[in-house]
Amino acid sequence: MTTESSPPGVATSGGQATWSNRFDQGLNPVIERFNASIGFDLALLQEDLDGSVAHARMLGSRGVISAEEAQRLIEGLETIRAEAAAGAFRPGVEAEDVHFAVERRLTELLGALGKKLHTGRSRNDQVGTDVRLWLRRRIDAIDAALVRFERALLAQAERHVDTLIPGYTHLQRAQPLSLAHHLLAYVAMAQRDRERLADVRRRVNICPLGAAALAGTPVPIDRRQTAAELGFEAIYGNSLDAVSDRDFAVEFMAAASLLMVHLSRLAEEVILWASEEFGFIALTDRCATGSSLMPQKKNPDVPELVRGKSGRVFGHLMGLLTMIKGLPLAYNKDFQEDKEALFDGVRTCLDCLEAMAILFEEGLAFRPQRLEAAVHSDYANATDVADYLVARGVPFREAYQLVGGLVKRCALEGRLLAELTLADWQALHPAFDSDIQAAIAPRQVVAARRSEGGTGFAEVRRQLALAQERLEGEADTPQ
Ligand code: ARG
């Protein structure tokens, strides 16, 4: 029954085995392959077995099958789990999907009893259950990866509270910052990602099992028993909604897309910082790559790949929305397309989080001297000159204009504000005094921004401690 050896267009395969006796002929082998999801949905095997074990136990406890039959079904399912672990469960395309593959193997193992497993259940509620179980576990893995990533940022932040970095708006030098403050902004984003995923998880964790094909079942099942055994928090209230809801997949991909946006923005900064022009970081050999031609090159492939991979996840979000938008109730085969999107979206998030964590753990080193030189080489303290005058009674807009003119003159003469004499200052405005230079030194400028959430050193230390506290006791490896 291998399809490869069949001439194209000739119906030869074992399709008959899959469906009811309504079918006389097997599937065209090309169509058989086209229809099958076994090529990718074998990834759901553990969840499919978990769901079937719970279903078999429930059928037994409700007296739909005998307790002894339920026990044998469960043992058969565990045998398949062991076979898979040993690499001995390798269903081919004729099995169509993971659900049929398991049922078929169960029937080989148990004979007629295997055919009782599907009582009161359809593949429609079954696949929905499997995907939710699968995604629930992966959300937990992504959460752990986010914790590790945050910890890597926090460790760098802890080292660099007192390191200054130019702050930018419009990618123009704006005001100097504590480097830790800059890094903590990404910790805040990651924290929101964790919250969003936790919220999505609540709606992933609702059980469709027992909705059967679309309308429920006359079999006296107990949906709450299977849901509880599988760790679901609730069951769907409407059987049509249960088998045709993929909102949770869209919500997940939206949250994953934002997560990737955050990683991509950070990746872009790392790429800029590693350039000769910025020179704010050095890439270590652990995470940098070379050029095949230019011997001097050290390339930031890791953040470039993260930036590049973000597009796949946004694409999956659009793909899912488009796949669902025209579907009448209830199940449609289109839904089979949700899996590769979810699998790839999850894989991409996990890979990128791990790579970015490693990058901040051991892949880069900030260059304090370059950073120090950078914050002393511009007019990013101009606002503070204006603030100095404001503190001495000059209206802000007047001070702003005065300093604007001053910066223009200095730029023409190639002088920094730090190079002005007291006479220069007082020629501009009599309110200037000998403390002006100290007041606009970059370190003082940063220290002075004491407002809550600002870059003042004490405030940054407080924010850092809060972020560390939030992560206390949180697992950073999948449990
Ligand atoms: N492989 C299918 C999927 O992934 C399983 C459900 C099939 N249900 C059906 N009525 N054909 O969606």
Side-chain angles (χ1 to χ4, degrees):
M1 131 143 136
T2 75
T3 51
E4 272 89 0
S5 58
S6 319
V10 179
T12 55
S13 110
Q16 224 289 110
T18 306
W19 304 298
S20 73
N21 290 330
R22 188 184 194 290
F23 291 83
D24 295 323
Q25 281 199 307
L27 267 178
N28 174 302
V30 175
I31 298 303
E32 180 177 57
R33 195 168 285 279
F34 183 68
N35 189 49
S37 52
I38 191 73
F40 49 85
D41 71 9
L42 207 52
L44 297 174
L45 180 67
Q46 297 304 326
E47 288 76 14
D48 197 68
L49 293 170
D50 293 344
S52 289
V53 165
H55 183 67
R57 200 185 322 277
M58 180 277 293
L59 291 178
S61 65
R62 297 290 291 164
V64 177
I65 58 176
S66 75
E68 192 252 330
E69 285 177 319
Q71 194 46 42
R72 284 177 53 217
L73 282 175
I74 292 169
E75 282 163 16
L77 291 163
E78 293 306 339
T79 301
I80 297 172
R81 207 191 294 274
E83 288 174 351
F89 182 63
R90 287 194 297 267
V93 72
E94 76 291 343
E96 187 177 330
D97 61 21
V98 63
H99 325 293
F100 270 142
V102 167
E103 188 178 329
R104 182 180 293 200
R105 180 68 189 134
L106 197 63
T107 304
E108 279 170 21
L109 289 168
L110 304 178
L113 174 60
K115 300 180 183 176
K116 288 196 176 181
L117 176 65
H118 214 52
T119 311
R121 181 177 81 167
S122 150
R123 277 186 302 159
N124 300 349
D125 55 340
Q126 186 180 358
V127 71
T129 305
D130 292 4
V131 171
R132 284 167 179 80
L133 288 173
W134 184 92
L135 186 57
R136 190 177 75 189
R137 237 172 242 169
R138 271 58 186 190
I139 287 176
D140 295 343
I142 293 173
D143 186 66
L146 275 163
V147 170
R148 177 179 172 186
F149 169 63
E150 282 192 49
R151 289 207 169 112
L153 290 174
L154 288 175
Q156 289 282 2
E158 194 158 27
R159 254 172 264 154
H160 291 294
V161 173
D162 292 314
T163 307
L164 304 188
I165 186 171
Y168 297 79
T169 64
H170 314 268
L171 200 56
Q172 304 288 322
R173 294 273 179 95
Q175 292 172 346
L177 302 169
S178 155
L179 172 52
H181 192 55
H182 194 115
L183 296 173
L184 283 169
Y186 286 99
V187 173
M189 294 178 223
Q191 196 57 29
R192 282 200 296 279
D193 289 327
R194 295 188 65 211
E195 285 170 22
R196 237 184 312 271
L197 283 168
D199 186 49
V200 171
R201 191 188 191 282
R202 293 193 299 120
R203 282 176 298 283
V204 171
N205 208 18
I206 300 174
C207 190
L209 196 59
L214 75 166
T217 171
V219 179
I221 57 171
D222 181 349
R223 291 188 59 200
R224 293 183 189 271
Q225 181 184 329
T226 39
E229 174 165 346
L230 294 169
F232 283 106
E233 277 161 50
I235 62 173
Y236 276 86
N238 179 297
S239 63
L240 291 169
D241 184 40
V243 290
S244 64
D245 172 31
R246 292 295 182 276
D247 292 1
F248 69 96
V250 171
E251 282 192 58
F252 167 78
M253 209 60 78
S257 293
L258 266 178
L259 190 168
M260 288 302 300
V261 165
H262 299 152
L263 292 185
S264 184
R265 293 183 73 177
L266 178 58
E268 170 66 13
E269 297 220 65
V270 170
I271 294 162
L272 286 172
W273 291 343
S275 70
E276 198 70 48
E277 285 70 14
F278 280 77
F280 293 170
I281 58 170
L283 295 170
T284 71
D285 294 353
R286 300 282 285 169
C287 288
T289 44
S291 155
S292 61
L293 188 142
M294 297 166 282
Q296 85 283 12
K297 289 293 288 292
K298 215 170 179 186
N299 292 331
D301 289 25
V302 171
E304 288 175 291
L305 278 172
V306 169
R307 190 178 57 183
K309 282 175 189 287
S310 60
R312 308 164 70 113
V313 181
F314 314 158
H316 292 317
L317 174 60
M318 197 47 65
L320 285 171
L321 288 167
T322 310
M323 182 267 283
I324 298 165
K325 81 175 180 71
L327 298 183
L329 294 179
Y331 177 86
N332 300 269
K333 186 76 168 205
D334 312 47
F335 285 140
Q336 183 162 287
E337 292 292 308
D338 63 358
K339 280 160 218 66
E340 285 166 292
L342 284 169
F343 296 167
D344 186 73
V346 164
R347 183 77 274 140
T348 303
C349 284
L350 283 171
D351 286 351
C352 291
L353 278 169
E354 196 178 20
M356 287 299 273
I358 291 171
L359 188 65
F360 276 84
E361 284 162 5
E362 55 174 284
L364 57 80
F366 284 95
R367 300 171 69 188
Q369 283 166 352
R370 287 288 305 239
L371 288 161
E372 188 74 12
V375 293
H376 282 93
S377 68
D378 57 31
Y379 299 99
N381 49 2
T383 318
D384 302 271
V385 176
D387 289 342
Y388 179 98
L389 288 177
V390 167
R392 282 151 190 81
V394 181
F396 175 77
R397 192 53 67 200
E398 187 185 328
Y400 165 90
Q401 293 294 6
L402 269 176
V403 180
L406 175 68
V407 169
K408 182 178 169 184
R409 279 197 304 284
C410 285
L412 277 172
E413 296 161 9
R415 287 206 296 171
L416 292 169
L417 299 181
E419 289 158 359
L420 298 179
T421 65
L422 185 57
D424 293 329
W425 287 111
Q426 284 178 340
L428 187 70
H429 198 286
F432 283 113
D433 212 337
S434 57
D435 58 353
I436 175 62
Q437 285 300 359
I440 62 165
R443 202 157 292 281
Q444 171 54 28
V445 159
V446 172
R449 300 218 171 350
R450 288 185 196 89
S451 55
E452 200 171 340
T455 194
F457 298 111
E459 177 62 6
V460 169
R461 263 189 207 95
R462 193 179 73 85
Q463 295 288 346
L464 177 63
L466 280 176
Q468 282 165 335
E469 216 169 277
R470 262 200 313 263
L471 292 186
E472 234 157 70
E474 297 274 13
D476 58 13
T477 48
Q479 297 303 289

